[in-house]
DNA sequence: TTTGGTGTTTCGAG
DNA sequence: CCTCGAAACACCAA
């Protein structure tokens, strides 16, 4: 579910909710597999009593810095949600981890498919080092992308989804960026010329920035779609040009949008705007 | 009722 | 190095 803009929205909202400075008075782990490391008992022991000092994002990871210092990394995978609940609110189905705060609120981790993971580590780099560059960082320039692409010969879409190549893109924003750059998802990454790389670089940053501006993309019904911690839905669905827009006209040329499978993933394209040479 | 699809990642086989 | 398929799991729409 959540890609870079959705994760950034969660981080922004956690900060806006005044979570920094809160102390964790109790930790409940209802479904132990969510805790990737360390063992759940040790996780509870090490988190209890710690204060949240900072909240940040890297790729699709939420980084919660705790006093110690120690770092809690949360990856939401497909259906993970972090919710901030008031004192009196009752736990619902699929609430797997509950962090009780010293002001009475609870930070709950909700995940029907149970794919998401918590990592508690001394150094966040042990988890994050494998990630590719942050696409919105000033270091991610067209020149940097040119260099990155020069080392690879793969289909564009699977390459952009590869978090070790570039961090934060998922199925939605990859399709949107490729459409904006007029590039077919099956193009071989090694065949892009200078102007095409520039277009791709611009498109990636553009679609991610818009996603963040709109507080993420919420698809499907209320429960299943992306919700930030207060239950607010993102408005970026109105911005999607191709993703899940089958048979609707391409906003540029009116050609109906097609769905294809690229590397086992649903992929949406305008065949006219994104020709395959 | 059953089936196929889902916004993610990781792993192993070829 | 790359590609593919499967697995982790629950839900929803057709």
């Amino acid at each position: 579910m959540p890609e870079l803009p959705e994760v950034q929205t969660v981080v922004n909202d956690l900060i806006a909710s005044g979570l920094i400075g809160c102390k964790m008075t109790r930790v409940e782990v209802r479904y132990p597999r969510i805790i990737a490391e360390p063992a759940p008992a040790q996780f509870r022991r090490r988190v209890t009593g710690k204060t949240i000092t900072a909240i940040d994002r890297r790729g699709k990871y939420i980084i919660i810095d705790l006093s110690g210092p120690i770092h809690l990394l949360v990856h939401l995978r497909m259906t993970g949600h972090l919710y901030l609940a008031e004192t009196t609110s009752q736990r619902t189905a699929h609430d797997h981890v509950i962090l009780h705060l010293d002001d009475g609120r609870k930070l709950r981790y909700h995940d029907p498919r149970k794919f998401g993971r918590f990592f508690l580590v001394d150094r966040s780099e042990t988890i994050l080092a494998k990630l590719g560059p942050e696409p919105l960082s000033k270091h991610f320039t067209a020149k940097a992308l040119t260099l990155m692409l020069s080392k690879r010969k793969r289909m564009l879409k699977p390459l952009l989804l590869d978090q070790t190549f570039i961090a934060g893109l998922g199925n939605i924003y990859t399709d949107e960026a490729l459409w904006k750059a007029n590039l077919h998802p099956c193009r071989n990454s090694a065949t892009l010329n200078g102007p095409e790389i520039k277009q791709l670089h611009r498109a990636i940053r553009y679609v991610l920035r818009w996603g963040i501006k709109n507080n993420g993309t919420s698809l499907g019904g209320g429960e299943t779609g992306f919700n930030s911690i207060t239950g607010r839905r993102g408005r970026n669905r109105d911005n999607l040009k191709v993703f899940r827009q089958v048979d609707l006209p391409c906003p540029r040329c009116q050609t109906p949008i097609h769905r294809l499978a690229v590397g086992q993933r649903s992929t949406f394209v305008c065949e006219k705007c994104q020709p395959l040479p």
Side-chain angles (χ1 to χ4, degrees), chain A residues 82-116:
Chain A
L82 280 175
Y83 286 102
L84 209 43
E86 295 306 318
T87 318
T88 54
S89 116
Q90 287 301 301
R91 184 175 58 87
T92 62
H94 311 305
D95 283 345
H96 305 309
V97 181
I98 303 157
L99 304 175
H100 296 257
L101 307 175
D102 58 355
D103 61 8
R105 294 184 294 175
K106 305 161 194 172
L107 186 60
R108 293 212 195 105
Y109 180 70
H110 180 273
D111 189 353
R113 289 178 76 175
K114 303 187 176 94
F115 288 173

Side-chain angles (χ1 to χ4, degrees), chain A residues 15-252:
Chain A
I15 294 170
S17 300
L19 218 65
I20 294 172
C22 285
K23 188 180 188 177
M24 262 126 10
T25 53
R26 189 157 71 92
V27 176
E28 279 180 79
V29 179
R30 321 235 12 144
Y31 190 84
R33 294 191 62 164
I34 298 294
I35 313 297
E37 63 177 284
Q42 200 179 113
F43 175 85
R44 283 181 18 231
R45 187 166 57 72
R46 293 195 72 184
V47 170
T48 305
K50 295 293 196 301
T51 300
I52 297 173
T53 58
I55 306 172
D56 211 337
R57 179 194 60 74
R58 172 81 168 93
K60 299 176 190 171
Y61 288 87
I62 298 163
I63 307 170
I64 302 177
D65 290 335
L66 306 177
S67 54
I70 189 167
H71 311 280
L72 174 58
L73 274 51
V74 178
H75 197 300
L76 304 172
R77 292 280 187 102
M78 293 282 275
T79 51
H81 288 72
L82 280 175
Y83 286 102
L84 209 43
E86 295 306 318
T87 318
T88 54
S89 116
Q90 287 301 301
R91 184 175 58 87
T92 62
H94 311 305
D95 283 345
H96 305 309
V97 181
I98 303 157
L99 304 175
H100 296 257
L101 307 175
D102 58 355
D103 61 8
R105 294 184 294 175
K106 305 161 194 172
L107 186 60
R108 293 212 195 105
Y109 180 70
H110 180 273
D111 189 353
R113 289 178 76 175
K114 303 187 176 94
F115 288 173
R117 291 293 180 264
F118 281 42
F119 305 81
L120 186 68
V121 292
D122 292 313
R123 288 181 54 255
S124 36
E125 279 308 296
T126 57
I127 305 289
L128 304 178
K130 59 179 188 298
L131 295 178
E134 278 297 314
L136 294 181
S137 125
K138 65 178 178 187
H139 303 295
F140 181 68
T141 57
K143 198 175 161 187
L145 181 60
T146 306
L147 186 64
M148 288 158 64
L149 285 170
S150 72
K151 299 172 185 163
R152 302 303 204 94
K153 288 179 192 157
R154 289 182 69 183
M155 272 197 289
L156 272 182
K157 172 146 177 174
L159 183 61
L160 294 176
L161 288 174
D162 182 346
Q163 302 297 300
T164 68
F165 180 75
I166 183 170
L169 289 172
N171 217 22
I172 299 177
Y173 294 95
T174 299
D175 281 5
E176 292 296 311
L178 288 170
W179 177 83
K180 183 156 182 61
N182 292 78
L183 292 168
H184 195 282
C186 296
R187 277 285 296 277
N188 185 309
S189 56
T191 68
L192 269 60
N193 62 30
E196 285 174 328
I197 295 175
K198 272 201 170 131
Q199 277 284 81
L200 178 60
H201 171 261
R202 225 165 68 107
I204 289 170
R205 291 168 64 102
Y206 180 91
V207 297
L208 292 176
R209 285 220 173 92
W210 267 99
I212 295 172
K213 245 183 230 180
N214 289 306
N215 295 315
T217 303
S218 295
L219 301 169
E223 292 288 319
T224 39
F226 165 74
N227 291 288
S228 189
I229 60 164
T230 53
R232 189 193 55 199
R233 298 173 51 73
R235 298 181 308 275
N236 200 53
R237 183 165 69 163
D238 305 334
N239 256 312
L240 300 182
K241 311 300 186 198
V242 288
F243 190 81
R244 293 208 186 159
Q245 307 296 305
V246 178
D247 292 339
L248 293 174
C250 165
R252 266 192 309 244

